[in-house]
Amino acid sequence: MTEKPAYNFGYDVSAAEFAVPKSAYLGAHPEAAFKSIGTAALVLDTCTPSKPRVLLLQRAASDSYPGKWEPPGGAVDDDDLSILHAAVRELWEEAGLQAAYMGGPVGEPHFFARSNGDKVCCFSFAAYVPSEGGAILTTKLDPKEHQNYVWATEEEVKAGQVGAVDLEFVREEVQRTVLLAFTHAHGE
């Protein structure tokens, strides 16, 4: 992977509450039953407006949930400038793509427990990356985390298959959220 970018991006007003560090978000929500936050960046390729596609990554065979599919994402670190910065950082680290703009939250947050029992709240955001010549830039995976990627249409996500590739998601909530991302492509 090349040198870490500066992560210069804009964001939609609907994502403003996530433009704060994790500590500030948790401080503003003392009633929250979680102390860990995760993010997902839902990148849509709308170069063919009638057939938008979303980027999905397949987890490495050596990682947790081996071979399962998910959008780029991960944990919000204590030193991330904001929750949105964490989503942008994870997109860069996992797919080599730079977000130019972060849209609003996609769907409701979903929760899961780590192996140590800690409850994690995951927020998903629409992410917009620049295109080159009408095509999304090349995806570059971190092989320690992911072994494959696909660009899937809404129909393919619903069917759980892109060509000969079966899409088994890490959790059902992740698949539901990915499907909701297509509403951003349709301007809903």
Side-chain angles (χ1 to χ4, degrees), residues 20-29 37 76-78 80 83:
V20 298
K22 175 174 73 171
S23 59
Y25 183 88
L26 291 171
H29 298 85
I37 299 176
V76 178
D77 295 338
D78 291 337
D80 284 320
I83 295 170

Side-chain angles (χ1 to χ4, degrees), residues 14 26 33-34 39 70-72 78-79 84 148 152 156-157 171 182:
S14 64
L26 291 171
F34 56 89
T39 64
E70 64 188 355
D78 291 337
D79 61 348
L84 292 175
N148 196 7
E156 291 168 330
V157 172
R171 283 180 296 288
F182 288 99

Side-chain angles (χ1 to χ4, degrees), residues 49-146:
S50 62
K51 282 277 192 204
R53 303 177 307 159
V54 67
L55 176 63
L56 299 172
L57 309 180
Q58 185 181 38
R59 295 183 66 84
S62 59
D63 206 348
S64 58
Y65 301 101
K68 306 284 174 130
W69 291 87
E70 64 188 355
V76 178
D77 295 338
D78 291 337
D79 61 348
D80 284 320
L81 295 176
S82 71
I83 295 170
L84 292 175
H85 274 86
V88 170
R89 174 184 53 75
E90 288 286 348
L91 177 60
W92 171 254
E93 290 175 359
E94 294 186 353
L97 296 173
Q98 276 190 290
Y101 189 80
M102 295 300 286
V106 176
E108 295 296 318
H110 60 271
F111 300 88
F112 61 94
R114 290 192 173 129
S115 57
N116 65 5
D118 287 351
K119 192 171 186 182
V120 179
C121 179
C122 186
F123 296 101
S124 299
F125 303 95
Y128 300 89
V129 300
S131 62
E132 202 171 82
I136 295 285
L137 302 173
T138 304
T139 303
K140 299 175 191 125
L141 299 179
D142 176 351
K144 290 180 251 162
E145 293 193 49
H146 296 96

